[in-house]
Structures are given as C-alpha cells and as structure tokens.
Amino acid sequence: MSGWSPPRLPRSWLVGLAIGYLLFVSYAVIIAQQFLFAVVLGIALVSTYLIWRFIHAVEAIADALQRIADSRD
C-alpha cells in the first residue's frame, strides 16, 4: 500500500458550509418562499464537491501509473 489517502475537506470548512447552507435554506423558505433556491444551491455544492473528488482521484491514478512506469525502467 502506498499510504495515499483520499483528499478531504477540513472539518471546519464542512461545519461552515453546513451552517451557511442551513441559513440559506431558512432564508429561501421563510423570506423568499422559494424552496427551489435551496435545492439548486445544494445540488451545486454537492456536484462541485464530487467533481473535486473526481479530479483528485484521476490525479492519484496518474501518479500511481507514473510510479509503476518508473519502477519498470
């Protein structure tokens, strides 16, 4: 095993994002009365996170392939 671990967001960022999202949901539902605002923002946040994880996974695969190629030389 290479000891590589998947990238993670710091816990403080997750807490900040969760609190910010809850505030936005409460604004969207109570004041603007548009629940779809909250859903769209949630989908945008989740999709951005998944794309970030995908890019890091591809980088890890490329790095592993590079190490395999270097070890064969």
Side-chain angles (χ1 to χ4, degrees), residues 2 4-8 50-68:
S2 67
W4 180 84
S5 62
R8 303 180 85 171
L50 290 176
I51 289 170
W52 179 71
R53 290 290 303 249
F54 178 75
I55 289 171
H56 279 282
V58 169
E59 287 177 354
I61 292 169
D63 186 42
L65 289 173
Q66 186 65 40
R67 281 182 282 157
I68 291 171

Side-chain angles (χ1 to χ4, degrees), residues 37-58:
F37 285 157
V39 173
V40 168
L41 181 64
I43 290 172
L45 288 174
V46 169
S47 61
T48 302
Y49 176 71
L50 290 176
I51 289 170
W52 179 71
R53 290 290 303 249
F54 178 75
I55 289 171
H56 279 282
V58 169

